Amino acid sequence: MSERRIVVVGASLAGAQAAQTLRRQGFEGVVELIGDEPHPPYNRPPLSKKYLAGETDYDSLRLRSMADPDELNVDLRLGLRATGLDVEAHTLHVAPAEAGAGSGATAEPHTINYDGLIIATGARARRLPGVDLAGVFELRTVDDADAIRAAFDATPSRVVVIGAGFIGAEVAATAREAGLEVTMIEAQDSPLQRVLDRDAGMAIVDLHRGHGVDVRLGVGVASLVGDDRVSGVVLDDGTTIEADVVVVGIGVIPNTEWAEDSGLTIDNGIVCDATCLAGSDVVAVGDVARWDHPRYGLMRVEQWDNAVDQGSYGAKRLLASWAGEAVDPYAPIPSFWSDQFDRKIQLSGMPGEQFEIVQGSLDEQRFVQIYSDAHGAPTGALTWNRPRQSMQARMLLESDADMAEMRDTLGG
Amino acid sequence: MKVTVDFDLCESNAICMAAAPEVFEVRDDDFLYVLNENPGAELHDKVREAAERCPKQAITLED
Ligand SMILES: Cc1cc2nc3c(=O)[nH]c(=O)nc-3n(C[C@H](O)[C@H](O)[C@H](O)COP(=O)(O)OP(=O)(O)OC[C@H]3O[C@@H](n4cnc5c(N)ncnc54)[C@H](O)[C@@H]3O)c2cc1C
Ligand code: SF4
């Protein structure tokens, strides 16, 4: 049999991790890593934090897992986009990404035959519909971050952030710390209702207001105004906020359009079984994957930690299926962090209907809060500037600890 | 295996501790302590996982 070929689509956190894992696991066939961005794989979290603040440079963003593709014998092809997929035929269609400057940018559109496919195309920032003005940005890529930084540096710079999700809140904090005038607008009456209870959401609002961010809650955006450049944001209640820079942080959309006619199930992500298998010889990992978590059901996670974990898992899973080995389902306790001003906000596990603070307080902006379900079983822990307890909570959740154990270890 | 942490990069988010608590510990003072700079072979997989998971890429391993 000729050499096997595994193609990884999406050359970012999950894809790079998957490609590296294939080699670590001893896979000796061809590994091709295809990405439509012109840049070698890099890390996104600093884009709203230290990189946006100018405290770290581009080199520090580079992902270590793909620092040396040659050494790993990975064929890294940048500036190349997957445009179609036929799962039954095991073929992938690719074409140069229009603005790409990478090695794939000069290639003609062509077809790649694969034996195994790892889908890691992630997600992109949702845009405000119908807005085409200079000075309005989303934040997903390093190019976005560079453009926003340049806009921050131009004077005068009044910044409006639309959406008080984690990325919006981080951008607002970074802009404020740079001394800019910042307004953050949130349509709901408390931020992050999907992941935080109201009090914890309001603690984020208090944190921002305490640092001089003008936070507007429960009001939507009616329109953006300006000639070529944005000059203001009009709210539902008729007020206009003057703006030189608008950053839109209203969530992400999984990048699945290219695989629409592939035979895979697509529904808010690439739908997979409990082992991240999406179809014959196809796994999906990272922000794009919606898999059947044994504990939580179908879920898609937009978190750094999961992209690394699932990238490794997906690579191993593909190899295991060829070796005829059984694999455990992918059942991580999700966890993520967000840095805003001098606070480190971490959530391990999932939010729940009930919550209690077992250490510290909202007023101190340093606390440990345990979430539990209607039956009183713990589901997760939210911590502010309590990293040790956040990870302890994760370990406890992994071992199915009950509420008493959680209180015991995390309280006091 | 020799474990080193670049404490200028480390943000004490304790993610490494979840992967390899035998080697990494973030204490209540919010500092990371490396409990064992030369972990035995039985810990190598866990330590590698910790290094991969560190979002600051602050952990370096030498064979
Ligand atoms: C500003 C910012 C801050 C963040 N901060 C945090 C944080 O503090 N904590 C946290 O847990 N998470 C954070 N995240 C989320 C984290 O970065 C993501 O979960 C992670 O990047 C997901 O990795 P991924 O590889 O699955 O997807 P992505 O990083 O989205 O990468 C997908 C790659 O595939 C490429 N691609 C898409 N379609 C195609 C195609 N058809 N052909 C070829 N290539 C394609 C994309 O261009 C991209 O390069 C942050 C994200 C952003 C943007
Ligand atoms: S995971 Fe990295 S940044 Fe976090 S505590 Fe460990 S070494 Fe420090």
Side-chain angles (χ1 to χ4, degrees), chain A residues 10 12-14 36-37 44 49 82 121-122 140 286-287 303-304 337:
Chain A
S12 182
L13 189 57
D36 63 1
E37 290 186 73
R44 295 184 205 279
K49 309 177 182 79
T121 46
R140 184 76 192 178
D287 280 16
Q303 295 163 4
W304 195 96
W337 82 99

Side-chain angles (χ1 to χ4, degrees), chain A residues 9-15 34-37 44-49 80-83 120-124 139-141 167 170 255 258 285-288 301-305 307 335-339:
Chain A
V9 190
S12 182
L13 189 57
I34 293 174
D36 63 1
E37 290 186 73
R44 295 184 205 279
L47 300 181
S48 50
K49 309 177 182 79
L80 196 63
R81 177 172 295 154
T83 52
T121 46
R124 63 180 180 277
L139 176 52
R140 184 76 192 178
T141 67
I167 291 178
E170 288 181 354
N255 291 318
W258 64 276
V285 295
D287 280 16
V288 78
V301 177
E302 297 156 6
Q303 295 163 4
W304 195 96
D305 202 68
S335 91
F336 77 90
W337 82 99
S338 172
D339 299 330

Side-chain angles (χ1 to χ4, degrees), chain A residues 218-241:
Chain A
V219 61
V221 170
S223 63
L224 268 53
V225 288
D227 293 332
D228 300 323
R229 281 199 76 80
V230 68
S231 62
V233 176
V234 184
L235 304 182
D236 280 344
D237 62 10
T239 24
T240 300
I241 303 169

Side-chain angles (χ1 to χ4, degrees), chain A residues 63-334:
Chain A
L63 285 181
R64 257 184 357 190
S65 56
M66 233 355 101
D68 193 348
D70 292 341
E71 192 208 314
L72 282 172
N73 191 18
V74 168
D75 187 2
L76 175 62
R77 305 190 61 199
L78 302 172
L80 196 63
R81 177 172 295 154
T83 52
L85 172 66
D86 184 337
V87 169
E88 206 177 291
H90 284 53
T91 52
L92 179 74
H93 304 286
V94 297
E98 58 284 355
S103 54
T106 52
E108 292 294 309
H110 62 283
T111 298
I112 301 172
N113 298 313
Y114 64 81
D115 299 290
L117 181 71
I118 299 178
I119 298 180
T121 46
R124 63 180 180 277
R126 190 185 292 279
R127 308 189 59 170
L128 272 183
V131 173
D132 187 21
L133 290 170
V136 181
F137 304 93
E138 294 84 32
L139 176 52
R140 184 76 192 178
T141 67
V142 64
D143 298 326
D144 295 337
D146 288 341
I148 294 172
R149 267 213 65 191
F152 281 179
D153 288 345
T155 45
S157 206
R158 291 157 303 180
V159 179
V160 175
V161 175
I162 300 178
F166 284 112
I167 291 178
E170 288 181 354
V171 170
T174 303
R176 191 63 204 128
E177 283 183 316
L180 305 178
E181 212 178 289
V182 182
T183 307
M184 180 160 69
I185 302 163
E186 168 58 47
Q188 294 180 316
D189 58 9
S190 77
L192 290 155
Q193 291 184 356
R194 232 164 20 114
V195 282
L196 298 182
D197 62 277
R198 187 164 193 286
D199 292 348
M202 287 310 288
I204 291 186
V205 173
D206 291 342
L207 173 68
H208 281 256
R209 286 186 174 152
H211 282 87
V213 177
D214 178 2
V215 184
R216 311 280 180 100
L217 297 173
V219 61
V221 170
S223 63
L224 268 53
V225 288
D227 293 332
D228 300 323
R229 281 199 76 80
V230 68
S231 62
V233 176
V234 184
L235 304 182
D236 280 344
D237 62 10
T239 24
T240 300
I241 303 169
E242 289 180 15
D244 305 296
V245 183
V246 173
V247 180
V248 180
I250 53 172
V252 299
I253 302 170
N255 291 318
T256 55
E257 291 80 359
W258 64 276
E260 222 125 65
D261 303 315
S262 59
L264 298 177
T265 307
I266 295 175
D267 178 13
N268 179 27
I270 307 272
V271 178
C272 309
D273 72 4
T275 67
C276 304
L277 197 70
S280 148
D281 298 315
V282 182
V283 295
V285 295
D287 280 16
V288 78
R290 184 149 174 252
W291 87 101
D292 194 7
H293 192 301
R295 200 188 273 247
Y296 309 114
L298 267 190
M299 75 187 301
R300 196 169 63 75
V301 177
E302 297 156 6
Q303 295 163 4
W304 195 96
D305 202 68
N306 180 66
V308 172
D309 236 21
Q310 202 171 18
S312 298
Y313 176 94
K316 291 178 191 162
R317 199 262 171 267
L318 194 58
L319 298 178
S321 66
W322 289 345
E325 291 162 10
V327 287
D328 290 332
Y330 181 61
I333 299 294

Side-chain angles (χ1 to χ4, degrees), chain B residues 5 9-17 24 26 32 50 53-59:
Chain B
V5 172
L9 292 176
C10 173
E11 284 185 343
S12 292
N13 50 31
I15 290 169
C16 51
M17 182 173 109
F24 303 99
V26 173
L32 170 67
R53 280 210 185 154
C54 168
K56 304 307 298 176
Q57 310 197 103
I59 303 171

